[in-house]
């Protein structure tokens, strides 16, 4: 299956906005976009995931699968985020066994959303 990794590019992560400098969410997106994109994962920048008090935030989603929102991330977490995205894309239902998730996905999950019924 192909999974979508949504990355909030407007997250400030509690940092002040400095004119001419990208905010933390934009830096996270840039780090993810600069890495080799894993097969079966599409990285999608979005304006807001409404997780502002938990920024930087990303969401993983795929058809007929559970979706997840993760927060308190940074550009330094890009490799783990991509590894978690690969594990997610390899499932049929979006449920990656807990022990197979990267540490940041175990500890920094903000929401788990059930698949939509057809």
């Amino acid at each position: 299956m192909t999974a979508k990794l949504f990355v909030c590019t407007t997250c400030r992560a509690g940092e002040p906005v400095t004119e001419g400098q990208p905010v933390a969410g934009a830096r996270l997106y840039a780090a993810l976009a600069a890495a080799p994109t894993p097969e079966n994962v599409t990285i999608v920048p979005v304006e807001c995931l409404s997780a502002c008090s938990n920024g930087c935030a990303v969401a993983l989603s795929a058809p007929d699968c559970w979706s997840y929102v993760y927060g308190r991330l940074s550009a330094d977490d890009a490799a783990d985020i991509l590894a978690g995205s690969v594990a997610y894309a390899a499932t049929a239902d979006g449920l990656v066994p807990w022990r197979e998730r990267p540490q940041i996905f175990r500890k920094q999950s903000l929401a788990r959303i059930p698949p939509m019924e057809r």
Side-chain angles (χ1 to χ4, degrees):
M1 113 182 105
T2 297
K4 289 195 178 184
L5 173 64
F6 297 97
V7 183
C8 178
T9 60
T10 56
C11 283
R12 296 184 199 168
E15 299 175 359
V17 176
T18 304
E19 186 69 32
Q21 298 295 316
V23 296
R27 293 193 307 267
L28 173 58
Y29 174 72
L32 291 165
T37 303
E39 188 175 329
N40 296 328
V41 176
T42 302
I43 302 170
V44 182
V46 295
E47 294 259 332
C48 185
L49 289 172
S50 290
C52 301
S53 63
N54 292 291
C56 295
V58 301
L60 273 170
S61 186
D64 301 318
C65 291
W66 285 81
S67 297
Y68 289 85
V69 180
Y70 299 99
R72 300 177 302 280
L73 304 169
S74 74
D76 293 338
D77 297 316
D80 286 335
I81 293 167
L82 291 173
S85 300
V86 168
Y88 177 84
T91 68
D93 56 7
L95 299 174
V96 178
W98 192 82
R99 292 183 188 272
E100 294 175 24
R101 298 176 194 171
Q103 187 77 9
I104 60 168
F105 279 12
R106 292 183 205 169
K107 303 242 179 207
Q108 292 163 224
S109 177
L110 302 179
R112 184 173 96 153
I113 303 157
M116 289 182 59
E117 294 181 14
R118 291 183 184 228

